[in-house]
Amino acid sequence: MDLIVTTPEEYIGDVIADINSKRGKVVGVTAEGDVQSINGHVPLAELFGYSTSLRSATQGRANFTMQFLYYDVVPANKAEAIIKKIRGI
């Protein structure tokens, strides 16, 4: 997913760390007045519950949008876990 987070400057480190912890890649950061806009690519599976995570990290002062970007290969360790779950192992 293409993720765009708009946050006050004091929370930028927390937001970038959160994106990185979700297997995301930060593509760019731009300043828009007194807020920062962070653009990143993050797997959809990692974004479930992201609004709660973002609200906690920024005291409710940030917002985000996301839209489909492209399909990608699932990492081997994640694929193995999914297969085991489906097979009931």
Side-chain angles (χ1 to χ4, degrees):
M1 301 298 283
D2 186 33
L3 178 72
I4 299 173
V5 180
T6 306
T7 183
E9 191 170 358
E10 64 258 24
Y11 302 110
I12 194 163
D14 294 332
V15 172
I16 289 175
D18 194 31
I19 290 172
N20 289 332
S21 74
K22 297 180 181 310
R23 297 188 298 135
K25 298 174 191 168
V26 174
V27 178
V29 178
T30 57
E32 299 172 357
D34 56 348
V35 296
Q36 302 286 323
S37 182
I38 304 164
N39 188 1
H41 299 163
V42 185
L44 176 61
E46 302 292 333
L47 289 175
F48 291 107
Y50 185 65
S51 60
T52 303
S53 174
L54 183 64
R55 189 178 316 116
S56 296
T58 63
Q59 299 178 2
R61 297 183 62 204
N63 61 39
F64 74 99
T65 60
M66 65 179 174
Q67 66 181 12
F68 176 77
L69 187 61
Y70 59 87
Y71 288 107
D72 204 356
V73 177
V74 176
N77 60 341
K78 293 284 185 179
E80 190 174 314
I82 293 169
I83 292 169
K84 284 181 180 179
K85 184 177 179 180
I86 290 171
R87 291 184 179 165
I89 298 174

